[in-house]
Structures are given as C-alpha cells and as structure tokens.
Amino acid sequence: MHGPASPGWLLVALCAATGAYCLLRMRSRVEEQRRAAGGEALMGFGMAAMAVPAAVFTPPSWAWPAYAVVFGAAGVRALWAARADAHHLHHLVGTAAMVYMAVVMAAAPDRHHGHGGSGLPLVTGVLLLYFAGYVLVSGVRLLPAAGAGVGVAVGGGWGDRPELARACRLSMGIGMVAMLLTL
C-alpha cells in the first residue's frame, strides 16, 4: 500500500473524497442508505489512512493491529447485517480485505511495500479478481440505459442519489484494486 508518492496521494484523495461523500449520504431520509453509508465512510477513510505514502508518514507498530481490529469489528457487523440484505456480503469481503492487508503490513514491517510480493499470493489474487470483477460490473451499472434520460432526483438531496452511491462504491473498488496491487 505504500508505493510511489504521487499515486499514493491520488489514492488518498480518492478514498478520502469517497469517505466524505459517504458521510454526506448518512443524512439520507432512507434508513438503510444511512446504515450502508456509515460502513462505506469507515472503509473510505480507512483506505485513505492506509494509502498515505510511507515517505511521508510511517505508522507506529500498533497501527496495523488496530486497523485489523477495527475492520474485523466492521466485518462482524457486516456479517450480522447480511442476514437481511445480501449487499452487506460485499461489505464483508471489503472488511476482510482490509483486515488481510493490515495483517500483512503488521507481519512484514521491515519489507518495502509497493513492489509486490507481500502477503499470500493466492489470497491476494482472489481478492484482486473479486474487486476487479466488482469494478467492471459496477462500471457497467453506471452506464445509462439506451434511450433513458439522465436527470436529477427531484426532492432528493445529494445523499439520496443512487447513481452517486454507485459511483462511490465503484471508487472504493478501484482503490481496493490499487491497494492490493501495491501490497
């Protein structure tokens, strides 16, 4: 996750902006959207924090286990929520990926990350395939249907725009692919 500085800062900006928009979505009138947005905001800000270039800030040794605990707890919450809505299974995979990356970073603090080779290749590969597929499917879902007009939801605020929520999830998927590639 700590690759070259310029792509690292771009990833930080993407994830932080996504997290900020998810906080805005928490103001939605729809309760389920608010709940999902909270978990996605945590994921966005967590990814932003993990992507800060190592040349700028090297986290203390306790930070990686703390990330693993926070995202492990978020994973338990996603597992519990998946009983009612299968969408939370994606959140479960995302939190599991974050726990995995935190454990890899904690286990190899002296290795220079950003050149690949850290972690278990099979686990990293499976997660890369999942998130690459998720990004492709999410991108296709953002394409407007043939002949359909593109308009702004009347009466809805920024937090109630489903196409922006999908774009938010797409951005986090792209960020996850980038983080896994540089692990």
Side-chain angles (χ1 to χ4, degrees):
M1 275 138 338
H2 292 293
S6 293
W9 283 120
L10 290 173
L11 186 57
V12 169
L14 173 73
C15 294
T18 301
Y21 175 69
C22 290
L23 285 179
L24 183 64
R25 284 183 38 227
M26 289 180 70
R27 296 176 44 189
S28 171
R29 294 181 197 107
V30 181
E31 183 179 346
E32 182 57 32
Q33 286 183 24
R34 285 192 308 264
R35 268 192 242 143
E40 291 168 358
L42 173 69
M43 183 71 74
F45 288 126
M47 289 171 63
M50 289 177 83
V52 172
V56 175
F57 174 71
T58 302
S61 61
W62 56 265
W64 299 116
Y67 281 131
V69 169
V70 167
F71 285 105
V76 170
R77 183 180 179 279
L79 183 61
W80 183 258
R83 296 175 307 125
D85 184 9
H87 169 73
H88 292 283
L89 290 174
H90 171 70
H91 290 194
L92 181 62
V93 174
T95 57
M98 294 294 282
V99 169
Y100 168 69
M101 289 187 286
V103 168
V104 167
M105 295 297 281
D110 294 335
R111 291 185 63 177
H112 181 46
H113 297 281
H115 295 284
S118 298
L120 302 171
L122 179 63
V123 176
T124 304
V126 167
L127 289 170
L128 271 170
L129 284 175
Y130 173 80
F131 283 105
Y134 180 81
V135 165
L136 292 173
V137 170
S138 296
V140 168
R141 288 183 181 162
L142 279 174
L143 296 175
V150 178
V152 176
V154 176
W158 284 97
D160 291 324
R161 304 271 311 267
E163 70 279 8
L164 291 178
R166 285 191 293 270
C168 171
R169 293 181 190 115
L170 174 63
S171 296
M172 283 194 290
I174 292 168
M176 190 65 77
V177 168
M179 290 174 74
L180 287 164
L181 284 173
T182 60
L183 183 62

